[in-house]
Every structure is written in C-alpha cells, then in structure tokens.
Amino acid sequence: MSTSGLNMPHTIQVLQKHTRFILLFTLFAMLVAFVTVLLVPKYFRSSARIIAANPQLTDKSRLFNENIQGLYSYFGSGDDLDRIIGIADMDTTYYQLVDQFNLMDYYQLDNDSLPLLRRKAVLKLKKDISFQRTEQGQMRVQCWTKDKQLSADIINTMIRIVQQKLESIWLSNYQEASAQLNASIVHNEQQYAALNDSISKAGRAQQILLQKHMETLLEELSRYRKTAASFQLMGETVPPALYVLEPAVPSVKAERPDKLNTVLISGLAGFLFSILFLLLKDRRS
C-alpha cells in the first residue's frame, strides 16, 4: 500500500546527503544580506516625549483668585493631546520644516516647479515622522533621517512650532479682548466728558440724573480698566501649551537597517529554502 505522506527516514537521508549544499546556500544568503545592508543607506531615529498642558491655565482667574488657582491641574487630557497632534500633523507645520531645513535638497528633489518640489518634500517628511500616544497619556514623536543631527533638530523644531502656534492663539484672544475693553473705556470716557459738559446747563432735577449716570460710568470704567489690566498681564504671562518630558537627541548609532537581524533572518530563510528545494527535487525524481 503506497502513501503520499512524508517519508521521514528518507527525508533525513536526503538532507544528510546534501548537507554541504544546505550549508553553502545558507552562508551565501547571509553573505548577500550582509553586503546589502552595507550598501543601503543608514537611517537614524530620534524621538521626543511631550505631554499636553491644561488649557484652563489660560483662564485669568488662576492669577487673581487663590482658591481657583489650586483647582487647576498643570496637565491636560487626552483631548488636549489630540489637539496638539492635529496641529503638529498640519501641512503648514511640515512646510515650515521643509523650508527651514532645506529638505528639498536632502530628499534630492529637482526638475519640477518650486511649489511641487515643496509638496513632494512634505509628503516624504510625513512618511519619516510618526506620532504615538502612550498609555501614560503622553505623545511620542519619532523621526527617521540619514543624518542623526537632522532627526533631532526636526523633532525639536516641530515641537516649538506647535507650542508657538497654540500660544499665539491664546495671545491673540487676550489681545482681542483687551482691544475691545480699551474701546469700551474710550467710549465711556467720552460719554463722561459729554455729561460733565452738559451738567452745568441742565436743571436741578436733570443734574441729579446726570450725576447718577456719571457715577455709573465711573464704576464701569473702573471695572473695565481692572479687567483690561488683567488681560494685559495674561498676555505677558502666556502659559505653556505643552511640556517637553524628553527632548529629541541625536541617535548614538543607526537603527535601520538592523544588520544582525537582517543577516540572521536571511540565513534562516536560505536554510529553509535550500531544504524545500532539495525535497521538491527529490520528489520529482
């Protein structure tokens, strides 16, 4: 009775007979892999860890109310971290990095118009940068380049760009609120001056009403000036949008390609392929 199953004694005999072929083929695969990893470009990885700041720190009450100040945490939530990632992953951020580090030359892009070259550089840079949220509520930013210093510089610059954008938004809100308050102050001062000019020409009853109105304007002016001063102080002490736990530093050595693992995996693949080749050849014969 014949079977189509594997004949283990015969298989072992075939492999023992061609042990030299298996060994040479495995060594050849490892040699090819070793030469390849020596020829391919080396890539260095830099990474940084950041955590979001609590946006409620922008509330002016934290500077003027001791009870409220103690209620605010310095660290933000996951939503705040998503907001930071969203700004970091904007095209405008990548364009700034492309222009600042002249990445069109780094990626060896040419033979196109400048806008198209910048766009191609942005797309390549997006592939080299990744964002990861950790279980501790932190964000890890990684960048791979052929220059170890460039990887670290790109990450640190990106973090500064994001922080400046968020702080500029908060500062703009402070300035807008301050401008509106100053406009109200000017308007009330003009009203007060007009009432003061009219009070001498009014009758007794009208003077009493005008006097009450002027007192109300003075109270509003005092309140507006105090609020405007607080917004000015907030603009001068804009809180951080994020905290850098670990800034990016140049990598000590290249991490791509992984020479040892590549050679070992290639050797294993060559070993298995040589065995499969011998078994198929023996089966056909």
Side-chain angles (χ1 to χ4, degrees), residues 73-262:
S73 169
Y74 284 100
F75 305 114
S77 63
D79 292 338
D80 302 320
L81 196 62
D82 289 338
R83 192 176 300 111
I84 291 176
I85 295 176
I87 294 177
D89 202 32
M90 291 173 58
D91 283 350
T92 53
T93 303
Y94 289 109
Y95 276 116
Q96 285 184 253
L97 294 171
V98 166
D99 295 338
Q100 180 167 345
F101 294 102
N102 197 18
L103 297 183
M104 290 180 291
D105 290 344
Y106 167 75
Y107 290 118
Q108 299 180 347
L109 301 174
D110 52 19
N111 299 327
D112 272 315
S113 62
L114 181 59
L116 188 56
L117 291 176
R118 293 177 72 226
R119 182 58 184 172
K120 288 182 177 180
V122 165
L123 295 177
K124 287 183 175 293
L125 180 59
K126 283 188 174 184
K127 294 180 180 180
D128 292 335
I129 294 180
S130 63
F131 306 94
Q132 300 173 352
R133 287 186 57 175
T134 67
E135 296 179 354
Q136 294 78 24
Q138 304 168 1
M139 182 180 77
R140 185 182 184 191
V141 191
Q142 293 188 121
C143 181
W144 295 85
T145 68
K146 300 175 186 177
D147 185 335
K148 57 184 177 181
Q149 185 63 50
L150 180 61
S151 295
D153 291 343
I154 287 177
I155 293 298
N156 291 328
T157 303
M158 170 178 275
I159 293 175
R160 284 196 297 271
I161 290 174
V162 173
Q163 186 158 6
Q164 289 171 358
K165 284 184 177 180
L166 285 172
E167 292 179 0
S168 66
I169 292 173
W170 295 345
L171 181 59
S172 177
N173 290 335
Y174 298 147
Q175 292 173 344
E176 183 178 352
S178 181
Q180 293 175 352
L181 286 169
N182 288 330
S184 298
I185 290 173
V186 172
H187 178 70
N188 283 10
E189 288 176 344
Q190 292 174 348
Q191 278 190 312
Y192 187 87
L195 291 173
N196 188 52
D197 292 339
S198 301
I199 197 169
S200 60
K201 303 175 184 179
R204 179 60 181 172
Q206 188 67 20
Q207 286 181 348
I208 295 175
L209 292 175
L210 292 176
Q211 188 68 33
K212 292 292 184 183
H213 193 181
M214 291 174 66
E215 291 176 0
T216 302
L217 286 176
L218 284 176
E219 292 177 359
E220 290 181 356
L221 279 170
S222 177
R223 186 166 60 252
Y224 287 165
R225 288 193 178 105
K226 183 178 180 181
T227 306
S230 66
F231 274 110
Q232 182 178 356
L233 179 59
M234 289 296 295
E236 296 172 354
T237 57
V238 178
L242 54 86
Y243 300 105
V244 180
L245 302 180
E246 291 181 358
V249 295
S251 177
V252 177
K253 62 178 182 178
E255 298 187 37
R256 287 182 183 173
D258 189 337
K259 296 180 181 179
L260 180 60
N261 286 338
T262 301

Side-chain angles (χ1 to χ4, degrees), residues 31-100:
L31 178 62
V32 171
F34 179 74
V35 173
T36 301
V37 296
L38 290 180
L39 297 177
V40 298
K42 299 177 181 179
Y43 282 85
F44 300 87
R45 181 189 66 175
S46 289
S47 63
R49 287 180 180 267
I50 68 172
I51 191 169
N54 189 349
Q56 292 181 339
L57 295 175
T58 60
D59 187 355
K60 64 183 181 63
S61 300
R62 73 179 180 88
L63 292 180
F64 304 99
N65 190 321
E66 296 180 358
N67 296 328
I68 294 179
Q69 186 176 10
L71 297 178
Y72 288 150
S73 169
Y74 284 100
F75 305 114
S77 63
D79 292 338
D80 302 320
L81 196 62
D82 289 338
R83 192 176 300 111
I84 291 176
I85 295 176
I87 294 177
D89 202 32
M90 291 173 58
D91 283 350
T92 53
T93 303
Y94 289 109
Y95 276 116
Q96 285 184 253
L97 294 171
V98 166
D99 295 338
Q100 180 167 345

